[in-house]
Amino acid sequence: MKILTIIPARAGSKGIPHKNIQKINGKYLVQYPIECAKKSKFVNRIIVSTDGEKIANVAKKSGAEVPFLRPKKYSHSKASQLDVIIHALNYLEKNESYIPDIITILHPTNPFTTSALLDRSISKLKNSKADLVLGVMPIKTHPFRSFWHKSKLLKKFSSDFDKYYQRQLFPPLYFPTGDIYTFWYKSFKKYGKVFCPKITPLFYKKNEISMTIDTPFDLFQCEMMMKNWKSYQREHKFKTF
């Protein structure tokens, strides 16, 4: 099967200048998803979609393809992930007659994504009737206990606010981590979107970390975790799962 990993990595960033080529633990952020995909048992093509020459050079040296530089209209802050995917797939089909069977999307801003997690998502898609396998985690701050801010007052978000007076009563909800999206090309073409009707969850194991980098403090946290988390576990004799 043709299994393609697309890594969106635009040059511009408001929160952190040149975010995708910031270094964590001695590596550029864009290197992490490339290495993840290279270690996969299933992925057989990796492309980076970028508008930045420096990102492109790092990506190529790290073992990914950069078959094009992304046009400006798909590289501004309001450009959607959907636009980036459609552009990449249209380019590959038009210029190379390349049509993948399965597509995975990885992001440089999620450096803890592992090849084991990636391969689990691909296997799950192959063995299910789903259109999309989506990485999710249980939500920590439940919306049923949140408020709207309207007319200078706080209004209960849910009409059942008083019903859920204990955390244990909350119905289970899950949020997409944004680390990984794995879907069939045929489903994407049929529906014209990633979030097709049949979505199956990819649950994380206890030792799998999800963290998205949006701010300089996130960069700091990620680097500290990479450098110190394992030794901290050993020191405090936490169970390694």
Side-chain angles (χ1 to χ4, degrees):
M1 297 183 75
K2 296 178 183 177
I3 301 180
L4 169 69
T5 291
I6 299 175
I7 301 169
R10 73 185 185 94
S13 176
K14 292 183 177 179
I16 305 173
H18 312 294
K19 178 166 63 176
N20 290 313
I21 46 174
Q22 292 292 331
K23 279 191 173 183
I24 286 186
N25 209 22
K27 295 180 184 178
Y28 296 108
L29 277 180
V30 74
Q31 287 181 261
Y32 285 96
I34 294 171
E35 292 182 1
C36 170
K38 284 174 66 177
K39 292 175 183 176
S40 167
K41 296 184 292 185
F42 303 116
V43 172
N44 42 43
R45 188 166 189 188
I46 307 164
I47 72 163
V48 171
S49 172
T50 185
D51 58 321
E53 291 279 3
K54 187 168 183 179
I55 294 174
N57 291 335
V58 172
K60 290 173 186 177
K61 290 178 182 178
S62 302
E65 298 177 51
V66 186
F68 53 80
L69 281 180
R70 195 196 307 171
K72 289 184 179 179
K73 63 180 178 179
Y74 301 128
S75 302
H76 55 79
S77 60
K78 294 183 179 179
S80 69
Q81 177 172 262
L82 180 62
D83 292 332
V84 173
I85 297 169
I86 291 173
H87 170 259
L89 293 176
N90 285 345
Y91 179 94
L92 295 174
E93 183 174 354
K94 181 179 178 180
N95 293 277
E96 302 180 19
S97 300
Y98 174 85
I99 297 176
D101 297 296
I102 291 174
I103 302 155
T104 70
I105 308 298
L106 300 178
H107 292 278
T109 49
N110 304 80
F112 289 103
T113 307
T114 64
S115 58
L117 186 70
L118 174 58
D119 285 347
R120 209 159 72 242
S121 76
I122 295 168
S123 294
K124 193 160 191 177
L125 185 69
K126 286 181 175 181
N127 296 319
S128 73
K129 294 182 180 180
D131 300 304
L132 164 69
V133 173
L134 182 66
V136 295
M137 284 189 168
I139 198 163
K140 290 184 178 181
T141 305
H142 205 286
F144 283 16
R145 296 296 288 176
S146 56
F147 293 84
W148 296 104
H149 183 209
K150 293 183 177 180
S151 303
K152 298 183 179 180
L153 295 174
L154 293 176
K155 304 291 184 180
K156 297 171 184 176
F157 175 78
S158 170
S159 59
D160 291 331
F161 184 91
D162 296 320
K163 176 181 175 181
Y164 299 103
Y165 58 89
Q166 287 183 325
R167 178 177 56 83
Q168 292 81 358
L169 297 175
F170 291 155
L173 286 178
Y174 300 88
F175 72 97
T177 62
D179 298 343
I180 186 166
Y181 305 80
T182 301
F183 52 94
W184 293 105
Y185 174 85
K186 60 183 179 182
S187 296
F188 182 78
K189 293 296 285 187
K190 179 179 179 179
Y191 296 104
K193 55 186 178 181
V194 173
F195 289 93
C196 298
K198 296 179 181 178
I199 303 174
T200 193
L202 176 68
F203 295 113
Y204 286 53
K205 296 179 180 179
K206 289 183 178 179
N207 66 323
E208 291 175 328
I209 299 170
S210 174
M211 188 171 180
T212 302
I213 295 174
D214 291 317
T215 67
F217 184 67
D218 295 335
L219 278 170
F220 170 76
Q221 283 186 305
C222 280
E223 184 155 52
M224 292 303 100
M225 288 175 70
M226 285 183 179
K227 289 182 175 180
N228 302 310
W229 176 234
K230 289 183 179 179
S231 61
Y232 184 84
Q233 284 179 306
R234 288 193 298 269
E235 181 182 348
H236 292 271
K237 299 180 180 178
F238 292 148
K239 183 177 179 181
T240 301
F241 296 94

